[in-house]
Amino acid sequence: MSMTCSVPGLTVPRSRFPVPGHDLVSEGAGLSTTVFAGGCFWCVEAVFMALDGVHGVVSGYTGGDRESASYEAVCTGTTGHAEAVEIQYDPTVISYGELLRVFFSVAHDPTQLNRQGNDRGPQYRSAIFFSSPEEKRVAEDYIRQIDASGVYPDPVVTTLEPLDTFYPAEEYHQNFAGKHPQQPYIMAVAAPKLRKVREVYPDRLKKA
């Protein structure tokens, strides 16, 4: 990650950000998983870990092969991977559509192509890795809805990619923001996003 300041958080008010018009239907008890990529996985992980109904978030790599699924290799931008997070959630508490709304409004800027702020390269692309046709359809519909709403001056560039295999990142990357709150990058980039999610979605946060 670049040690200079990336985009520290978005400013689109929740009241202006559209509620997804379509969502996945919960099929009862049991946890679901989804994989999002939106720049530095330290920051995206921290945002989703704060949400009620999210049982776990793993930082990792997807979009490339196992042999090059390492931080050193992925940082070259040549492996095809994206830094991504695997989110395990209870759809009876927080739906897939609600996760999408947080992802597009607070977790990152979906109008930046192959970058987030000063973090540049395809490994920092905005992407949704879908594991079912239903996930793909809901995400496609929501992207169209965001573009039609005009909440961003530029179009959403988030790619929709089939999920093949998710490779967990090295252990020192897991819960990095929680373990290192005073690290300069975390203070500059992740902390403002955490403040934003607390301000914009106070009713979606884990109870203290």
Side-chain angles (χ1 to χ4, degrees), residues 110-134:
T111 69
Q112 295 192 21
L113 182 62
N114 289 332
R115 61 182 283 252
Q116 284 293 300
N118 291 313
D119 291 331
R120 297 171 184 268
Q123 70 272 31
Y124 297 116
R125 67 187 181 273
S126 173
I128 292 170
F129 291 87
F130 61 88
S131 57
S132 71
E134 292 76 20

Side-chain angles (χ1 to χ4, degrees), residues 31-85:
L31 299 180
S32 298
T33 60
T34 193
V35 175
F36 296 155
C40 166
F41 48 24
W42 298 342
C43 306
V44 180
E45 176 192 63
V47 167
F48 285 102
M49 285 182 69
L51 300 179
D52 190 27
V54 171
H55 284 238
V57 185
V58 177
S59 288
Y61 316 107
T62 193
D65 60 30
R66 181 180 298 277
E67 288 69 24
S68 54
S70 69
Y71 188 64
E72 181 176 341
V74 171
C75 278
T76 67
T78 63
T79 66
H81 295 89
E83 288 195 12
V85 296

Side-chain angles (χ1 to χ4, degrees), residues 47-185:
V47 167
F48 285 102
M49 285 182 69
L51 300 179
D52 190 27
V54 171
H55 284 238
V57 185
V58 177
S59 288
Y61 316 107
T62 193
D65 60 30
R66 181 180 298 277
E67 288 69 24
S68 54
S70 69
Y71 188 64
E72 181 176 341
V74 171
C75 278
T76 67
T78 63
T79 66
H81 295 89
E83 288 195 12
V85 296
E86 182 183 68
I87 303 164
Q88 185 181 56
Y89 67 101
D90 182 346
T92 66
V93 178
I94 187 166
S95 71
Y96 180 69
E98 290 163 337
L99 293 174
L100 286 175
R101 193 181 188 203
V102 173
F103 176 66
F104 282 110
S105 64
V106 173
H108 81 309
D109 182 344
T111 69
Q112 295 192 21
L113 182 62
N114 289 332
R115 61 182 283 252
Q116 284 293 300
N118 291 313
D119 291 331
R120 297 171 184 268
Q123 70 272 31
Y124 297 116
R125 67 187 181 273
S126 173
I128 292 170
F129 291 87
F130 61 88
S131 57
S132 71
E134 292 76 20
E135 275 192 354
K136 182 182 181 184
R137 183 173 62 252
V138 170
E140 282 177 330
D141 288 348
Y142 194 45
I143 289 171
R144 284 193 291 266
Q145 191 178 348
I146 293 170
D147 281 336
S149 73
V151 292
Y152 290 116
D154 299 309
V156 170
V157 296
T158 305
T159 59
L160 298 177
E161 305 177 36
L163 179 63
D164 183 8
T165 305
F166 177 85
Y167 307 102
E170 297 82 351
E171 180 57 33
Y172 71 89
H173 287 299
Q174 308 305 328
N175 191 23
F176 191 91
K179 294 174 182 175
H180 306 283
Q182 303 304 312
Q183 201 262 10
Y185 185 94

